[in-house]
Amino acid sequence: LVMKVILGWDIHFSIWVSSITVAIYVALGGLLSAVFNEVLQFFLIWLGSMLIPILGLIEAGGWKNMIATINAQHPGQDFTSLWANLGSAANNPMGMHWTGMVFGLGLAVSFGYWCTDFLQVQRVMAAKDLRAAQNGTIIGAAIKMMVPLIVTIPGLLGLAVLSEKAGLTLVPESVAQTTGGHSYNEVLPLMMARYLGPGLLGLGVTSMIAGFMSGMAGNVSAFATVWTYDVYRPLLNTSASDA
């Protein structure tokens, strides 16, 4: 999506380029290459994304002005409250209901992700000792708590700045596909194109692609492990060597 919005590439071509790149380095380096790349990509993601909320808040005139602009641009739609309008999906501008928040974010994405997702479990099993496994998970969770800084704030800024300054109207994904407009999902690349010069824009695009590749590489290596130890060895070739 980033390459489509910023570089103008075909979405299917972008997917193939990214996926083949991930497949090559995971196949050659295994879990070590996936973890090593994730460490590098972590810094890329933050360096490439942190400028967006900073520059956006400056242009919007601060947090209070941003909230006021959003409310003025979208009268009757409360985009700035977490829980007040979740009693009915019809009252929420994004069509969200409290059950989706509680069971989606609270159950599936929160402890479901951290405690049962094999991508995370594999990292723990690959640690050099118990202390490293525990500390790695705690440090990762602490950093994960800061992700709204580079995800939620740019989303709010998109509602305020892109509507007021750039004259863009953001629409749901289903509407964007039929009309060719910009959806809510395209806010971050649109903000990057607005604020970052050529050099920093390259870093920003790289950081977004790195985020995708990091998650994909982890999933590929996790799938390979499950296939090897839970399917191939017990069911297809019980006498197979580790190699």
Side-chain angles (χ1 to χ4, degrees), residues 135-185:
N135 287 344
T137 305
I138 291 170
I139 293 168
I143 295 171
K144 193 95 170 179
M145 295 292 287
M146 296 189 291
V147 167
L149 291 174
I150 58 173
V151 176
T152 307
I153 294 178
L156 292 171
L157 285 166
L159 288 172
V161 174
L162 293 179
S163 297
E164 184 183 45
K165 309 284 187 182
L168 293 178
T169 301
L170 299 173
V171 295
E173 188 69 36
S174 57
V175 178
Q177 289 178 355
T178 56
T179 62
H182 291 291
S183 77
Y184 296 116
N185 291 334

Side-chain angles (χ1 to χ4, degrees), residues 178-201:
T178 56
T179 62
H182 291 291
S183 77
Y184 296 116
N185 291 334
E186 296 177 357
V187 166
L188 199 51
L190 286 171
M191 298 293 277
M192 284 181 174
R194 181 174 182 80
Y195 292 125
L196 304 183
L200 287 174
L201 184 59

Side-chain angles (χ1 to χ4, degrees), residues 5-211:
V5 173
I6 296 181
L7 302 180
W9 289 10
D10 177 74
I11 186 72
H12 301 289
F13 178 73
S14 303
I15 291 170
W16 278 109
V17 168
S18 304
S19 302
I20 290 172
T21 303
V22 171
I24 290 173
Y25 78 72
V26 173
L28 293 175
L31 179 61
L32 180 62
S33 71
V35 174
F36 184 78
N37 274 284
E38 283 177 3
V39 173
L40 296 177
Q41 288 160 349
F42 163 79
F43 293 102
L44 274 177
I45 290 166
W46 280 93
L47 287 172
S49 304
M50 264 315 286
L51 279 174
I52 304 302
I54 295 170
L55 295 175
L57 284 172
I58 292 173
E59 183 179 17
W63 181 267
K64 289 184 178 180
N65 281 342
M66 178 189 73
I67 300 299
T69 303
I70 293 173
N71 292 331
Q73 293 277 348
H74 304 276
Q77 295 180 294
D78 190 357
F79 279 100
T80 58
S81 173
L82 282 174
W83 295 99
N85 51 17
L86 290 180
S88 168
N91 295 332
N92 186 277
M94 297 188 71
M96 288 289 291
H97 190 258
W98 68 267
T99 52
M101 293 287 283
V102 172
F103 295 106
L105 290 176
L107 186 69
V109 179
S110 294
F111 81 80
Y113 170 79
W114 282 104
C115 302
T116 65
D117 183 79
F118 191 75
L119 179 57
Q120 302 302 321
V121 175
Q122 182 178 238
R123 299 295 183 268
V124 173
M125 293 191 298
K128 64 178 181 179
D129 54 40
L130 179 61
R131 181 174 176 80
Q134 292 171 332
N135 287 344
T137 305
I138 291 170
I139 293 168
I143 295 171
K144 193 95 170 179
M145 295 292 287
M146 296 189 291
V147 167
L149 291 174
I150 58 173
V151 176
T152 307
I153 294 178
L156 292 171
L157 285 166
L159 288 172
V161 174
L162 293 179
S163 297
E164 184 183 45
K165 309 284 187 182
L168 293 178
T169 301
L170 299 173
V171 295
E173 188 69 36
S174 57
V175 178
Q177 289 178 355
T178 56
T179 62
H182 291 291
S183 77
Y184 296 116
N185 291 334
E186 296 177 357
V187 166
L188 199 51
L190 286 171
M191 298 293 277
M192 284 181 174
R194 181 174 182 80
Y195 292 125
L196 304 183
L200 287 174
L201 184 59
L203 178 61
V205 172
T206 303
S207 73
M208 295 296 292
I209 298 171

